[in-house]
Amino acid sequence: MSDAPSGEAELVQKWSEQARVPSWLTAIFEKWATERTYIHTTAMAEDQPSKVAVNYLYRAVIAKLALLQPENPQPVVKRTQYVDPGADDPRAEQWRQFLAFQERVAQSAACVLKRWAQEEHLGGLTERAVLEALVSGVIWIKSGFMEDAGRDPIGRSVRHAGARGNLLTLRRLSAEYEAGEFDKDDYRYAEMMALTDFARDMARAANPMPGDPRGALAELPDGMPAPSHLVPEPKVWRGGTVSLVDPENIRFDTQRVTAPEFLHLGRFFQERSWMTRDEAAEEFHLTDEEKKALGSPWRDIRTDQPSVGNTASDSDPADTELEDDTRDGGREVAVWERHDLELGQVCWWIQGIPRVLARRRMDATTKRGHPYQVFIPNPAPGRFFGLSDVTLARKEQDALNQALTDDYELRVASYPFYAVLAGLISPEDLDKIRRREPNAIVELTTKADDIQKALKKFDGEKYDPNLTLPAARESQRAIEMLLGLPTEAMQGTNSATRFATQSQIQSDNLSAQMGRIVRMITELQRQVYEDWTDFALACMSQDEVRAIAGPFAEWPAFDRDQIARGMTVEVVSAGTRANRRGDLEDMTNAMQVVNGMLDARAKALQQGMEFPVEDFAKRLTASLDLRTTGPMIKAIPPQVIQQAQMAQQEQAQAQIAAAQPPGAPPAGAVPA
């Protein structure tokens, strides 16, 4: 157990100190904010030297994102391979039944995961996560599990969501009270008693018949907490959740976690979210004194009357910085959600309130013990936070902006202009001249002849695009090379031009960087699916699973840990948008090889040779991973390849001969 202080005030004070931002992180936080502003705007900030700002970097990142996104990823739950006890073992039949049951559970889990992914729009969220990671260098993804009292197990909206939610909360509080997690002095006891009165009144209003389980709840004496087994459990929607968390809102155990691969060693994670003062007061049942500790202004929800409180202050140590716990003009406060792995609890607290606002057991946990994972597309050695695409290409973007600014100024300088004596033309006449339409008659107060005589035309400077545009194009190419993105990828692909043909350097960058990040994205999605599988096995009943996966779905009622250890989750996709056309071409080439092998087999059998081409063709056509096609073809003897090519040529000549009319000369023959 942890050596944390026993008092809640000391606990909150310790957590507040752990939520402080170390000085080495403040510069990184500022960089993230600047880079987000830099790439998400088409015009640069006022302090930028460029007057013309075309954010080519943003277009490049968007194009790169389109190439990275997996095509239709699908979760696949597989049964772990165990050692076969053998047919002679007396437990062999029981073992086979267990494996068959586990296989059906895996199929049911895959159906549940697909439904949850549709509900949470996992594909779109993954795309946003990758975009944010490319911009800032890092993004956090949080997996979770929820109960929605406003929907039934199928996902349809239902009425009386508030009453159903109260029953769910009462069941949870009653179970925690029976387990000794809080006593009568805790704020949760008062909430439990209020919900008990609500449930008892609702049961009495139903006038239950003899034998109705609600009868025992209706007869419950006043002032007695409701036992958890008497509280009816409403059938609600239970499902997985996934959300993105900006890196500025995450605090972790920096003493133990020094690199992303050491996240499992951390003792705690703290996530900051924002609530209005009214929302925080209602959510956590704050007293008047605690409302005042939130600062000013706040509004009493019960009376709808404004009040004034005192803003809590805290001294900053020399080596850390305490962020402001309010934003949006003080109308929102920072609410911290702490996942304490040593205590096995999720706690909520707010700075300035010396108590834990809410506690909850970690009933559903991941294999990591916490719900967070980090995505870093460009990791840098020796740094926890990786480099962003903005950091890698920002200097070239500034150079591009400057080149376009110079080109704009040269173009303006090349335009001719007219000079006239000051005061000769009135401001009204000048405005009429500027706003005139083509072939319009303009009435002026000054004589037209006087204006024509006084006007003098000046030719502009000679415009030479070679002074600026080559530098702009060079900056564009540099941005593409830094991102591993060829020009063809920005313009689209076709059958004649593949996107990785501009240069060997760009081709290498594309295949290396894109392939690595695509694998990271697939692993990110796989990790979310694996977390959801753990949540489903821990919290879902068989009826709830069958409501999603159908009446024949199987789900374990006991020994779920054994089932969870016996299943693995994978993500299978049809490639990415970038290589989908390439996959089709590879498949076409592979099928041609297969047809040639079959023809070669017929030739080999006629000559008495052994040629196991059927096994090769079966493995080739059944394989979903086309990357194995190359090694398999290379393993074929050269003479067999030659026979296949000769068979294809003979077959083509036979088709040409069959298509010619009788008496026609052979194809390719020279007429006499």
Side-chain angles (χ1 to χ4, degrees):
M1 293 295 294
S2 172
D3 56 351
S6 57
E8 289 194 352
E10 289 79 3
L11 268 178
V12 173
Q13 178 63 28
K14 177 182 177 180
W15 296 347
S16 178
E17 293 174 357
Q18 292 174 342
R20 296 176 185 271
V21 182
S23 56
W24 62 273
L25 264 181
T26 55
I28 296 179
F29 282 4
E30 294 175 358
K31 180 179 75 70
W32 287 338
T34 303
E35 291 188 348
R36 288 196 186 100
T37 305
Y38 189 92
I39 198 169
H40 287 303
T41 55
T42 56
M44 301 297 109
E46 295 181 357
D47 58 350
Q48 293 290 332
S50 302
K51 297 179 181 178
V52 178
V54 178
N55 202 337
Y56 186 76
L57 177 57
Y58 179 76
R59 291 174 52 202
V61 171
I62 294 297
K64 179 179 179 180
L65 178 66
L67 300 178
L68 291 175
Q69 189 67 11
E71 188 77 18
N72 191 25
Q74 295 293 330
V76 177
V77 183
K78 294 184 178 181
R79 174 178 53 82
T80 303
Q81 298 296 328
Y82 291 105
V83 177
D84 191 349
D88 298 334
D89 194 292
R91 301 168 298 174
E93 182 62 26
Q94 181 182 2
W95 185 249
R96 283 192 293 270
Q97 293 179 2
F98 170 75
L99 294 182
F101 172 74
Q102 195 175 44
E103 184 71 27
R104 294 193 296 271
V105 171
Q107 296 175 358
S108 303
C111 294
V112 172
L113 296 182
K114 292 178 182 178
R115 175 63 185 278
W116 289 0
Q118 294 175 357
E119 292 283 337
E120 293 297 307
H121 305 286
L122 183 59
L125 185 135
T126 304
E127 187 170 352
R128 286 191 288 115
V130 177
L131 177 61
E132 288 295 328
L134 294 176
V135 172
S136 62
V138 59
I139 192 69
W140 291 83
I141 296 91
K142 179 183 179 182
S143 306
F145 184 79
M146 71 167 180
E147 294 179 336
D148 189 354
R151 295 193 292 170
D152 62 9
I154 303 178
R156 300 173 301 187
S157 299
V158 296
R159 296 182 300 174
H160 310 300
R164 291 156 58 88
N166 289 338
L167 291 178
L168 285 175
T169 305
L170 178 58
R171 283 182 61 88
R172 177 178 56 82
L173 292 176
S174 298
E176 294 176 356
Y177 179 71
E178 293 167 359
E181 296 189 14
F182 63 89
D183 53 19
K184 295 183 178 181
D185 296 331
D186 195 282
Y187 74 95
R188 287 174 287 182
Y189 183 83
E191 182 181 3
M192 181 183 65
M193 293 305 300
L195 292 176
T196 298
D197 296 339
F198 167 80
R200 182 175 51 247
D201 295 342
M202 187 174 63
R204 291 174 179 175
N207 194 15
M209 300 295 292
D212 192 329
R214 291 176 295 181
L217 184 60
E219 297 174 358
L220 190 70
D222 295 342
M224 178 178 177
S228 59
H229 67 277
L230 291 182
V231 181
E233 182 178 6
K235 295 181 179 181
V236 301
W237 167 264
R238 289 184 170 89
T241 62
V242 61
S243 58
L244 304 183
V245 184
D246 289 335
E248 300 96 320
N249 295 328
I250 288 289
R251 304 290 186 271
F252 52 89
D253 191 353
T254 55
Q255 294 182 354
R256 294 189 178 186
V257 180
T258 57
E261 56 269 22
F262 299 141
L263 280 175
H264 63 284
L265 300 178
R267 294 169 295 185
F268 66 88
F269 287 85
Q270 297 194 129
E271 176 189 351
R272 180 180 61 180
S273 59
W274 297 95
M275 287 186 180
T276 64
R277 300 179 186 277
D278 298 334
E279 291 172 345
E282 184 177 18
E283 177 72 19
F284 301 110
H285 308 282
L286 302 182
T287 64
D288 292 340
E289 291 76 11
E290 291 171 340
K291 291 178 183 178
K292 294 178 181 179
L294 293 180
S296 175
W298 62 269
R299 179 176 57 87
D300 194 324
I301 298 176
R302 296 168 297 180
T303 61
D304 199 26
Q305 295 296 324
S307 179
V308 178
N310 299 320
T311 303
S313 60
D314 198 344
S315 58
D316 297 349
D319 60 340
T320 60
E321 177 185 347
L322 183 61
E323 292 184 304
D324 186 8
D325 62 339
T326 64
R327 72 174 189 181
D328 193 16
R331 289 189 294 269
E332 293 182 331
V333 294
V335 179
W336 293 89
E337 176 183 336
R338 178 185 176 90
H339 291 256
D340 198 310
L341 275 63
E342 290 187 330
L343 299 178
Q345 292 181 343
V346 183
C347 305
W348 286 264
W349 61 276
I350 295 178
Q351 182 186 346
I353 299 181
R355 70 174 176 90
V356 180
L357 302 180
R359 297 175 184 263
R360 187 169 298 176
R361 291 197 307 259
M362 290 184 180
D363 294 328
T365 59
T366 65
K367 292 181 175 61
R368 304 181 304 277
H370 58 85
Y372 300 100
Q373 55 176 316
V374 63
F375 180 74
I376 304 176
N378 300 314
R383 297 175 54 181
F384 187 92
F385 302 109
L387 298 175
S388 66
D389 284 20
V390 184
T391 300
L392 294 173
R394 183 173 177 178
K395 291 183 178 180
E396 295 299 332
Q397 174 70 66
D398 291 336
L400 174 61
N401 293 342
Q402 189 61 53
L404 294 177
T405 298
D406 296 342
D407 182 74
Y408 167 77
E409 293 177 350
L410 288 178
R411 287 178 182 271
V412 172
S414 66
Y415 297 153
F417 66 95
Y418 296 84
V420 67
L421 182 64
L424 179 63
I425 304 176
S426 64
E428 293 79 6
D429 291 346
L430 284 175
D431 186 67
K432 291 180 181 180
I433 295 174
R434 293 192 183 101
R435 296 177 179 272
R436 76 187 188 282
E437 296 180 357
N439 301 319
I441 298 177
V442 182
E443 296 182 358
L444 305 176
T445 58
T446 306
K447 292 183 179 181
D449 293 339
D450 296 342
I451 296 177
Q452 187 176 14
K453 293 178 182 179
L455 284 177
K456 182 176 180 57
K457 181 180 179 181
F458 289 87
D459 295 329
E461 298 292 336
K462 184 179 180 181
Y463 171 68
D464 186 3
N466 294 324
L467 296 177
T468 55
L469 295 185
R473 287 193 291 267
E474 186 65 27
S475 298
Q476 290 183 5
R477 285 194 294 267
I479 292 175
E480 295 163 5
M481 293 181 67
L482 287 172
L483 301 184
L485 190 67
T487 302
E488 284 81 355
M490 300 290 292
Q491 301 172 351
T493 62
N494 52 55
S495 58
T497 304
R498 297 295 297 274
F499 59 86
T501 58
Q502 181 179 357
S503 66
Q504 186 63 38
I505 295 178
Q506 288 178 323
S507 178
D508 293 342
N509 283 345
L510 182 74
S511 59
Q513 187 190 60
M514 296 292 187
R516 175 178 56 82
I517 299 180
V518 168
R519 289 192 296 271
M520 295 173 64
I521 297 174
T522 304
E523 174 60 22
L524 170 68
Q525 294 176 330
R526 189 202 67 80
Q527 193 67 62
V528 172
Y529 284 129
E530 186 176 70
D531 295 345
W532 284 354
T533 303
D534 294 337
F535 297 154
L537 287 170
C539 303
M540 297 283 285
S541 66
Q542 187 180 62
D543 292 339
E544 292 169 340
V545 171
R546 287 182 174 178
I548 296 175
F552 299 103
E554 294 284 355
W555 203 246
F558 306 101
D559 199 13
R560 296 188 176 186
D561 290 340
Q562 176 66 26
I563 298 295
R565 287 193 296 269
M567 290 193 301
T568 58
V569 182
E570 298 179 1
V571 176
V572 178
S573 66
T576 63
R577 303 171 189 172
N579 60 19
R580 188 176 182 182
R581 183 182 299 276
D583 290 345
L584 295 177
E585 293 179 0
D586 294 340
M587 178 67 76
T588 302
N589 297 333
M591 291 303 100
Q592 292 177 357
V593 174
V594 171
N595 294 332
M597 295 299 102
L598 293 176
D599 295 337
R601 177 179 180 274
K603 294 279 188 180
L605 292 178
Q606 293 177 0
Q607 300 176 7
M609 298 174 54
E610 294 185 359
F611 180 39
V613 70
E614 290 181 343
D615 180 64
F616 165 77
K618 185 183 300 183
R619 286 183 295 163
L620 183 61
T621 54
S623 175
L624 295 178
D625 189 359
L626 296 178
R627 289 174 296 181
T628 61
T629 304
M632 292 172 65
I633 295 178
K634 293 180 181 179
I636 301 175
Q639 61 271 22
V640 175
I641 298 292
Q642 296 176 1
Q643 291 180 2
Q645 294 174 350
M646 294 175 58
Q648 290 178 347
Q649 294 176 1
E650 293 175 2
Q651 183 179 6
Q653 293 177 359
Q655 293 176 353
I656 295 175
Q660 292 179 350
V670 180

